[in-house]
Amino acid sequence: MAAARGEPFMAQLSEVQAAVFAALFSGSQALSNQLLAHPEWFGVLNPDALQFPRREQGLRKEVGEWLPGLIQSRDYAGALTRLRKFKQKEMLRIAARDLSRRGGISEITREISDVADVCLGGVWQVCAERIAERFGNPWHRDADGRWRPTAFCLLGMGKLGGQELNYSSDVDVLFLYGDEGEVFREPPGSGKANKPVLANHAYFNRFAESFIEEVSRMGAEGMLFRIDLRLRPEGESGPLTRSLAGYENYYAQWGQTWERMMLIKTRRVAGDEGLGAEFLEMIQPFRYPRTIQPSVLHEIGAMKDRIETEVLREGELDRNVKLGRGGIREIEFLAQAQQLLHAGRQPFLQTAQTLPCLEKLAQYGLIATEDAVALEQAYSFLRDVEHRLQMEENLQTHTISGPGPALLRLARLMGLNSEKDFEAVRQKHTSRVRRTFAGLFKSEQPEAPSDALPPDFEGSAEAWKILLAEYSFVNVDTAFRLLREFVHGPGYVHVSQRTVNFARNLLSRLLALCPRRGTSAGVPAQKGKPRTVLSDPDR
């Protein structure tokens, strides 16, 4: 259908333009439909324009020509609509460059990330103007007691922070404000009767809620981005916004290994530059520690094991290019683990991007050059596959379909002639990634008896009670309740993951002292002799 509707265009194209146009139509039904809905965007397929990537400065200049005027005239809805159209047009251009092989994976992901930065920055400006118009502006007192304007900024993490976004990425963000204080309609201390309207924390929460709503709003022009807040301190149960001091206290007391890894890719995306720089300076010793226990490799390996067992659906383990065996996440974990171990003492390794990190690890002799080259090639191939999967209907998918027309189409989009050729190349890359990943993580893992325990207490009560009965506990319901409280606390205090892991290891040692069914203190039970029984722990 789409191809038929495109035939009148094709007759007017040069040979090069026709090749680009055909690549776009064969690569993504969703993107080609956008082009047919907006024929005025046809100019973005000019081969000369596609030869080189657009720089962030050019994108900001284009938006800067119309966004300030719309904000000044208070046409906020018009500004947001135009931002969504701008994003769709630029994604069309980037996809055309990608499918016609005019840009490598690093260029394509950087361009997508630059578009995201410009769009998120534009929404930030709209929301900042709108909330200030309604409530006023936030202030706080400095060390000398003088009132100062309170800054606010947006931090990007994950693929947004690393400038490695794909076509259907969520954007992982943190909201940061400078200090606690109050909101005034007029500057405090100006001599006017001026009562505070809100506390700063409430003000910035409203700002963040408005920002999230507009970024994720689905309009006729589509949606800008899905916002993911799960990487913030305490996850979904944590506060939406925090002050600089709040983040500092959290990471100092409760910060976990996965949060160190997450912060490696953190950068300021919108809002106050000075505050963003202060945050990055504050977290520097946490994300790049000068010394860290090698057992961190075990933690990271355990994270990947949990992803494979708890996140992936049945049948996806070998077909999910992101989270499966030998996938993108294993390459990222490998690079970030080496950064945690070495980048605090070797600043040259401090980079948010995966491919440059692999190259630097090889230069420093931390991984073999041939391994680095193989990982770089695998990363580029798997990210290409991921992009072509997501182009189809702009879906957030990472799973390759089974044999059939869809797989054949994917193979041809990857420049391969058959499903068999595609699978051979994919297996070559994923097996090499898996082998390298296992060589670092599995060989370094200490014995961890706690791994034999059920994954958690929540959702695994039956498994725990079966295990406790196996270890001769008489009142398994009471034992389960007490052990859960031992590991996770009474429920009204925050318990760090480090403490949870330590408690689980202690549980393994405790169970090792308990006679299992058919044994007594490690000795097989004999007929006619009662077993030693560790009964109700309340006794």
Side-chain angles (χ1 to χ4, degrees):
M1 173 89 177
R5 291 176 61 192
E7 287 174 1
F9 285 121
M10 300 294 284
Q12 307 172 35
L13 303 180
S14 68
E15 183 177 346
V16 176
Q17 285 175 312
V20 171
F21 193 75
L24 185 66
F25 267 70
S26 65
S28 171
Q29 186 74 32
L31 291 171
S32 57
N33 285 342
Q34 286 179 13
L35 180 60
L36 293 172
H38 297 279
E40 69 275 15
W41 293 354
F42 185 71
V44 304
L45 300 185
N46 184 310
D48 293 335
L50 296 178
Q51 191 64 35
F52 301 101
R54 288 194 72 182
R55 300 300 180 190
E56 182 183 2
Q57 297 92 323
L59 297 171
R60 291 194 182 280
K61 182 179 179 182
E62 178 181 336
V63 172
E65 290 174 353
W66 47 262
L67 182 62
L70 291 172
I71 293 176
Q72 188 174 8
S73 64
R74 299 183 180 178
D75 185 5
Y76 303 133
L80 294 166
T81 296
R82 194 152 180 184
L83 280 170
R84 288 192 287 269
K85 287 182 177 179
F86 167 81
K87 186 242 182 175
Q88 299 299 340
K89 174 174 69 73
E90 288 303 314
M91 295 300 283
L92 175 72
R93 178 187 60 79
I94 294 167
R97 290 195 74 235
D98 190 359
L99 288 167
S100 57
R101 297 293 180 182
R102 281 165 168 74
I105 192 66
S106 294
E107 267 190 11
I108 297 301
T109 55
R110 177 58 187 264
E111 279 201 89
I112 296 172
S113 302
D114 287 345
V115 170
D117 284 4
V118 173
C119 291
L120 293 172
V123 177
W124 189 272
Q125 293 178 53
V126 170
C127 293
E129 189 69 24
R130 196 163 57 184
I131 197 169
E133 180 182 305
R134 182 179 177 187
F135 294 109
N137 292 291
W139 297 78
H140 67 276
R141 291 186 184 273
D142 64 15
D144 297 322
R146 291 173 295 190
W147 287 103
R148 302 288 186 188
T150 306
F152 192 38
C153 75
L154 181 73
L155 301 162
M157 300 171 294
K159 284 185 168 57
L160 174 63
Q163 297 176 301
E164 298 171 328
L165 283 179
N166 56 43
Y167 288 98
S168 190
S169 288
D170 292 350
V171 290
D172 298 298
V173 298
L174 292 178
F175 294 100
L176 165 70
Y177 60 93
D179 214 330
E180 304 298 346
E182 295 174 306
V183 178
F184 297 89
R185 296 193 182 279
E186 299 291 338
S190 59
K192 301 178 181 179
N194 195 15
K195 293 183 179 181
V197 178
L198 288 172
N200 275 0
H201 183 73
Y203 178 88
F204 290 122
N205 274 351
R206 294 195 184 204
F207 189 163
E209 289 166 357
S210 173
F211 178 84
I212 293 166
E213 181 181 1
E214 296 301 348
V215 171
S216 57
R217 184 189 299 278
M218 178 61 73
E221 314 78 18
M223 178 178 63
L224 285 175
F225 300 98
R226 292 177 297 270
I227 296 278
D228 193 335
L229 299 162
R230 291 173 295 176
L231 298 185
R232 72 184 189 267
E234 300 179 89
E236 294 178 345
S237 63
L240 184 57
T241 65
R242 287 181 189 253
S243 68
L244 186 66
Y247 280 110
E248 184 174 22
N249 291 335
Y250 172 83
Y251 291 127
Q253 296 184 54
W254 311 111
Q256 302 172 41
T257 295
W258 71 265
E259 289 172 310
R260 295 181 192 269
M261 297 168 64
M262 172 268 294
L263 290 171
I264 287 174
K265 290 182 177 290
T266 300
R267 65 185 177 91
R268 185 203 69 89
V269 171
D272 190 86
E273 291 186 20
L275 179 60
E278 194 173 354
F279 177 87
L280 295 179
E281 182 179 358
M282 180 266 290
I283 64 168
Q284 188 73 354
F286 178 72
R287 65 175 176 169
Y288 295 122
R290 289 195 55 84
T291 58
I292 193 169
Q293 293 295 326
S295 61
V296 70
L297 294 177
H298 169 64
E299 289 187 56
I300 297 172
M303 280 185 235
K304 185 58 173 62
D305 290 341
R306 284 196 297 273
I307 289 172
E308 292 180 5
T309 57
E310 298 175 21
V311 177
L312 291 178
R313 291 191 292 268
E314 186 177 356
E316 288 191 2
L317 192 55
D318 292 315
R319 308 198 69 80
N320 188 301
V321 297
K322 178 182 178 182
L323 302 177
R325 289 182 179 141
I328 296 165
R329 185 54 52 83
E330 290 189 4
I331 302 173
E332 294 172 337
F333 274 16
L334 191 149
Q336 291 170 343
Q338 294 287 19
Q339 288 178 296
L340 286 182
L341 290 171
H342 304 288
R345 298 185 305 278
Q346 297 174 319
F348 184 64
L349 297 174
Q350 296 177 9
T351 176
Q353 296 176 318
T354 303
L355 288 177
C357 181
L358 293 172
E359 183 179 345
K360 291 178 180 183
L361 290 172
Q363 290 177 21
Y364 268 72
L366 296 171
I367 60 175
T369 300
E370 57 269 26
D371 285 340
V373 172
L375 291 172
E376 290 168 7
Q377 292 173 346
Y379 182 84
S380 297
F381 176 84
L382 293 171
R383 290 300 305 269
D384 265 347
V385 172
E386 180 183 51
H387 283 179
R388 276 138 190 78
L389 288 171
Q390 294 182 350
M391 280 182 191
E392 179 63 30
E393 291 292 347
N394 196 28
L395 297 176
Q396 190 181 32
T397 182
H398 310 279
T399 303
I400 298 169
S401 63
L407 183 58
L408 178 60
R409 184 169 177 274
L410 176 62
R412 289 175 175 169
L413 287 172
M414 292 296 297
L416 299 165
N417 294 324
S418 67
E419 299 174 43
K420 183 178 178 181
D421 291 343
F422 173 80
E423 288 294 347
V425 175
R426 185 176 72 86
Q427 288 293 337
K428 181 190 76 170
H429 286 306
T430 56
S431 61
R432 181 61 182 268
V433 171
R434 188 65 173 185
R435 187 165 64 250
T436 307
F437 179 85
L440 174 65
F441 291 95
K442 304 301 181 182
S443 64
E444 296 288 344
Q445 290 187 20
E447 290 186 13
S450 64
D451 287 354
L453 301 178
D456 201 354
F457 287 90
E458 295 300 325
S460 303
E462 191 61 31
W464 273 101
K465 291 176 183 179
I466 291 172
L467 181 70
L468 292 171
E470 178 71 21
Y471 278 94
S472 304
F473 283 80
V474 174
N475 190 333
V476 294
D477 291 328
T478 302
F480 173 77
R481 176 177 57 80
L482 292 174
L483 293 181
R484 179 177 58 188
E485 187 170 313
F486 174 73
V487 173
H488 291 289
Y492 52 82
V493 295
H494 180 82
V495 179
S496 73
Q497 188 61 41
R498 188 183 303 111
T499 301
V500 170
N501 292 341
F502 183 68
R504 284 175 62 88
N505 279 318
L506 289 178
L507 283 189
S508 296
R509 297 188 182 190
L510 170 66
L511 292 177
L513 299 174
C514 300
R516 302 185 71 169
R517 288 178 178 172
T519 68
S520 178
V523 179
Q526 299 178 25
K527 290 184 179 180
K529 289 188 177 182
R531 292 187 294 119
T532 302
V533 176
L534 184 65
S535 59
D536 187 343
D538 282 341
R539 294 183 183 178

